Amino acid sequence: MLRSDRAWNNFVNCQPTDHEWGSPRRAAAVALWFVSDAMSGGLNRFLTYSHDLHSDEVLAALGALGAPKAQQALQFVIDRMGCALPVMSERERWDIMLERWPELDGPDEADCLTEDAVEELMAALERHVAGDEEYYAGLGDGSPWPPDHRAG
């Protein structure tokens, strides 16, 4: 459990590029980006706008964080699309999503995370931040919208 909101507020302002490739902190930032986009626009939105992340990295991040339900939901969509999504330009990602997404049976159902998957993922993110609270609390001023969380 977090001792204060400061660490969480600073965490939610992190970007995957703020952290070293393959680190637990980067995995958590990727997973937060995933759940944020999936909850505001579905998996299609996340996959379309996360063109600078490889789908394999996202799957690995969800697994490493301990969110198998979210990982399985994303894997289902990737499998049904018939291809992994490498890092690519925004235009390339947009084009492949337009081409591949309709191949899904019931895209609306596949586009949503289940409530259980969201709860599991959010609990995993909270555990991650609690386990590294000193680091996240020290990133910035603790406000929900700092102009630059790295500025301190």
Side-chain angles (χ1 to χ4, degrees):
M1 176 138 206
L2 292 171
R3 294 185 300 266
S4 72
D5 291 337
R6 181 184 181 108
W8 183 261
N9 289 342
N10 288 338
F11 167 68
V12 299
N13 286 290
C14 288
Q15 300 296 315
T17 54
D18 293 336
H19 305 293
E20 184 179 326
W21 183 267
S23 71
R25 291 174 182 159
R26 181 176 170 100
V30 167
L32 179 66
W33 187 357
F34 170 78
V35 75
S36 296
D37 266 9
M39 293 304 296
S40 67
L43 298 180
N44 184 303
R45 174 191 165 94
F46 172 75
L47 291 171
T48 300
Y49 293 105
S50 63
H51 56 89
D52 53 350
L53 293 174
H54 194 295
S55 59
D56 289 347
E57 180 186 8
V58 180
L59 289 165
L62 294 170
L65 201 61
K69 292 175 183 173
Q71 184 185 35
Q72 290 166 1
L74 180 58
Q75 186 67 63
F76 173 79
V77 170
I78 297 296
D79 289 348
R80 296 304 292 268
M81 289 179 68
C83 64
L85 297 171
V87 173
M88 58 183 68
S89 73
E90 186 175 3
R91 181 77 230 170
E92 289 170 319
R93 183 64 67 95
W94 182 265
D95 290 344
I96 201 167
M97 291 302 294
L98 285 175
E99 177 186 331
R100 297 289 185 146
W101 187 261
E103 293 181 13
L104 294 171
D105 292 330
D108 290 339
E109 183 176 325
D111 199 23
C112 300
L113 288 177
T114 65
E115 188 176 324
D116 287 345
V118 173
E119 288 176 7
E120 178 185 72
L121 180 48
M122 292 306 297
L125 289 169
E126 289 173 14
R127 282 191 307 274
H128 168 78
V129 175
D132 209 359
E133 189 166 3
E134 187 175 324
Y135 168 78
Y136 288 111
L139 286 179
D141 65 6
S143 66
W145 304 106
D148 184 351
H149 69 275
R150 294 162 290 206

